[in-house]
Amino acid sequence: TDIGVRAVKSGFEVYAGGKGGPHPKVGRRIAAGVDENKGLAIIEDLVDFHDRKTGKKQRFAKLIDDPEFTFAEV
């Protein structure tokens, strides 16, 4: 639920955020129609961002509202 990838006719969609539990939240679509290499690069950027911003486990649902989060919803 933190990083999601969905195959569509035009390529892949990448989602960040979202969570389950008693207060579920839908992930934010941050890329649409990307190829496999671009999708993997986005995931790598997301993991790097998470590592820079946290020293412990933290959900992307909280991190996507950070001013330094460079991916806009598409």
Side-chain angles (χ1 to χ4, degrees):
T1 58
D2 286 303
I3 298 174
V5 179
R6 186 172 98 162
V8 294
K9 287 183 181 182
S10 61
F12 295 95
E13 296 178 339
V14 181
Y15 293 80
K19 64 184 187 112
H23 304 286
K25 188 172 182 178
V26 176
R28 180 186 298 176
R29 186 175 67 175
I30 59 169
V34 297
D35 64 16
E36 183 178 351
N37 290 330
K38 179 67 174 170
L40 290 172
I42 291 170
I43 292 169
E44 186 175 338
D45 289 346
L46 289 170
V47 171
D48 289 343
F49 176 78
H50 183 276
D51 288 347
R52 277 194 325 273
K53 297 304 282 185
T54 65
K56 58 183 176 120
K57 259 176 111 170
Q58 186 171 356
R59 306 289 304 218
F60 257 111
K62 294 182 180 183
L63 289 177
I64 60 175
D65 293 328
D66 187 287
E68 294 180 30
F69 188 73
T70 59
F71 296 98
E73 187 168 12
V74 292

